[in-house]
């Protein structure tokens, strides 16, 4: 039976602090363990975080929910 690496989920709630969110997201993406998914839950009333996350659209590890 082959060993598979477990998927690690990183849950990132955010609310109207895109500058801090970006730092946290970059930290999560910099992890050496590569088998991750990043689930972003954005509860902001403005679109700043949503606009920021568009730069990461090609990264399939990131799942964004507004």
């Amino acid at each position: 039976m082959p060993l598979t690496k477990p998927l690690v989920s990183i849950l990132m709630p955010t609310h109207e602090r895109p500058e801090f969110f970006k730092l946290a997201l970059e930290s999560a993406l910099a992890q050496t363990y590569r088998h991750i998914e990043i689930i972003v839950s954005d509860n902001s009333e403005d679109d700043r975080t949503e606009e920021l996350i568009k730069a990461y659209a090609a990264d399939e590890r990131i799942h964004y929910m507004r």
Side-chain angles (χ1 to χ4, degrees):
M1 185 168 169
L3 293 176
T4 59
K5 293 182 179 181
L7 178 64
V8 172
S9 298
I10 301 172
L11 310 175
M12 299 184 72
T14 185
H15 180 77
E16 297 180 9
R17 295 288 184 114
E19 60 281 356
F20 295 120
F21 168 73
K22 183 175 182 179
L23 290 172
L25 180 59
E26 289 293 330
S27 177
L29 291 170
Q31 299 303 305
T32 56
Y33 186 78
R34 304 307 299 162
H35 198 86
I36 63 171
E37 67 176 349
I38 301 170
I39 301 169
V40 179
S41 174
D42 181 6
N43 193 26
S44 300
E45 294 182 20
D46 59 36
D47 295 336
R48 295 179 299 161
T49 302
E50 185 174 10
E51 289 300 315
L52 184 148
I53 201 80
K54 288 179 182 178
Y56 301 90
D59 195 324
E60 295 179 353
R61 296 172 295 172
I62 301 172
H63 308 284
Y64 176 77
M65 290 172 251
R66 180 89 191 254

